[in-house]
Amino acid sequence: MNRIARFEALAEQLIEGTFARLFAGPIHPLAVATQVARAMEDAQVQAPDGSLLAPTRYRIDLHPQDLVALRERHPSPEEELVRYIEELARQAGLVLPGRPLITLNPIPDLPPHTVRVQAFQEPRTEADESITRQMTDISSPSETPPANCFLIIGGQRHVRLTEPTVNIGRALDNDIIIEHPRVSRHHAQLRRRYGRYVLYDLGSSGGTMVNGYPVQECVLRSGDVISLAGFEVIYGEDPTVSNLPDKNSSATEGHPLPPPET
């Protein structure tokens, strides 16, 4: 039995009791359990000592109506999901570095009665050379945020970044709205962690890339070229930038770039 089949078999064994009752509805509990198991399998990494680490962060996308129905059955479904993930990791022989963090994410574009799960490793403060930049390039907690962080969107618009969390997408409820047909309604998120901005893909249909490499999460450096389903955004940190909004303006207020000098 291959590893994926083994994970799915474990998932089937573990869905009983509260978990089965929690998802007793249009979304079958086995579908949720299998998606979580696959996400855990896909995102596991090998530690320097050879042990396999299970991911600690899980985002579960649901249609808003399904999420409402789920919370009506159980006000805190995250707790039951945490217990399931902990037991699944134990049965699979994986090390869980910390308590799992579950995010239930309503996605209006997702078809009803559909579930989509993504798992991520929590960035660690002790760097592991064998893990990619997506997992390790985090500054120390004491570092202050870089000055004048900004995005250049489509080569036309400067957007200053000051808030700890910035949502990017086509929908009007985003902090940064990008009206482009390939950009998902809720495409990506910037989150400030330990003095750096980290880019997260929010399960977009077209994917997110940084400098030509597909990513689900990535610590950004000045000059990084972000592709949101082919739409380019440049991330920058420039203490000399003088044409950004002042401190009283919106954290995501955009304005056009000045025309190039001739």
Side-chain angles (χ1 to χ4, degrees), residues 209-213 220-221 223-227 232-235:
M209 303 179 76
V210 174
N211 301 328
Y213 294 92
L220 294 177
R221 297 172 178 167
D224 279 346
V225 178
I226 302 166
S227 172
E232 284 197 353
V233 176
I234 298 174
Y235 171 78

Side-chain angles (χ1 to χ4, degrees), residues 4-258:
I4 293 178
R6 181 169 65 89
F7 265 79
E8 293 181 357
L10 285 173
E12 189 170 359
Q13 294 171 15
L14 294 175
I15 56 164
E16 56 184 22
T18 307
F19 189 94
R21 293 192 298 273
L22 181 64
F23 291 97
I27 300 176
H28 195 280
L30 183 56
V32 180
T34 301
Q35 288 269 4
V36 172
R38 289 175 179 172
M40 180 182 289
E41 162 71 14
D42 290 343
Q44 65 179 320
V45 297
Q46 187 170 11
D49 63 2
S51 61
L52 293 175
L53 304 180
T56 54
R57 296 178 57 249
Y58 296 80
R59 191 183 71 242
I60 301 177
D61 296 337
L62 302 165
H63 189 274
Q65 293 178 351
D66 291 328
L67 182 54
V68 169
L70 177 61
R71 292 202 182 277
E72 286 177 350
R73 289 192 295 273
H74 195 301
S76 301
E78 293 88 350
E79 289 300 316
E80 186 59 35
L81 285 162
V82 164
R83 285 192 286 270
Y84 167 73
I85 288 169
E86 289 175 338
E87 182 61 20
L88 179 62
R90 190 182 69 81
Q91 294 279 355
L94 303 182
V95 177
L96 200 56
R99 179 177 171 82
L101 175 64
I102 312 294
T103 301
L104 296 175
N105 193 29
I107 301 292
D109 290 345
L110 201 64
H113 318 324
T114 302
V115 62
R116 183 172 58 195
V117 181
Q118 288 187 295
F120 311 93
Q121 291 285 346
E122 186 72 20
R124 303 189 304 167
T125 55
E126 294 182 4
D128 174 7
E129 295 292 307
S130 67
I131 301 178
T132 66
R133 171 186 166 191
Q134 297 181 46
M135 312 309 299
T136 60
D137 193 11
I138 297 287
S139 302
S140 64
S142 61
E143 183 178 347
T144 57
N148 288 333
C149 300
F150 62 92
L151 297 178
I152 301 175
I153 299 175
Q156 298 294 318
R157 184 163 54 116
H158 251 295
V159 175
R160 183 184 178 190
L161 302 173
T162 59
E163 294 297 321
T165 302
V166 180
N167 293 306
I168 305 172
R170 206 176 68 249
L172 297 179
D173 59 350
N174 287 287
D175 301 302
I176 297 177
I177 301 168
I178 298 179
E179 297 179 355
H180 192 281
R182 290 199 302 268
V183 175
S184 294
R185 287 173 54 82
H186 300 91
H187 197 111
Q189 183 183 82
L190 292 173
R191 193 179 307 165
R192 198 164 60 212
R193 295 178 57 81
Y194 303 127
R196 309 296 304 177
Y197 272 108
V198 183
L199 173 71
Y200 297 88
D201 180 86
L202 298 180
S204 64
S205 59
T208 300
M209 303 179 76
V210 174
N211 301 328
Y213 294 92
V215 300
Q216 291 185 332
E217 61 180 270
C218 182
V219 182
L220 294 177
R221 297 172 178 167
S222 185
D224 279 346
V225 178
I226 302 166
S227 172
L228 306 175
F231 183 88
E232 284 197 353
V233 176
I234 298 174
Y235 171 78
E237 302 167 2
D238 188 353
T240 66
V241 172
S242 59
N243 62 338
L244 297 177
D246 62 29
K247 65 180 180 180
N248 295 319
S249 62
S250 168
T252 54
E253 180 182 349
H255 60 88
L257 288 171

